[in-house]
Amino acid sequence: MRVVPALLLLCPLPALAAPSVLAAGGQMLVSLALVVALIGGVFVLLRRLQLRTGGAGSIRTLAAHSVGTRERVVLLEVAGRQLLVGVAPGRVQALLVLGDAPAKVPTSVPAESFAASLDAAVGAAGQGAP
């Protein structure tokens, strides 16, 4: 009878092997998380460094504002005139022609000033309608 406990001590037990398996699995998960975080960081960095030329030729995008899940209002400069355009899936519609563009247009318009300009333009357009 004493031989059986002695044989059990000589055999590797799964309970004793579990910490090394858990440690290897944990190390693998940490490595995977680091690789995924690195890929995400590179993606975010590339998005921030992406130069926005605003379009090709004589069309420049001055500002854009999301007004819905898939709808946007975009301020464009085309041939020296500014256009406010609504963009939705399958549809682009000119909302307002603002006239001649100013001599110097900033490349990045803060969201607050664009929202104020949009409200002013919509208010001015609404006053002219009966």
Side-chain angles (χ1 to χ4, degrees), residues 5-29:
L7 287 176
L8 286 176
L9 289 176
L10 295 175
C11 296
L13 297 175
L16 296 176
S20 63
V21 172
L22 290 178
Q27 184 180 6
M28 181 183 65
L29 288 177

Side-chain angles (χ1 to χ4, degrees), residues 75-111:
L75 182 63
L76 300 174
E77 181 181 355
V78 180
R81 301 187 80 178
Q82 289 185 352
L83 300 169
L84 189 63
V85 178
V87 180
R91 184 173 182 183
V92 177
Q93 182 175 359
L95 301 175
L96 184 65
V97 177
L98 298 173
D100 293 336
K104 183 179 179 186
V105 177
T107 56
S108 64
V109 178

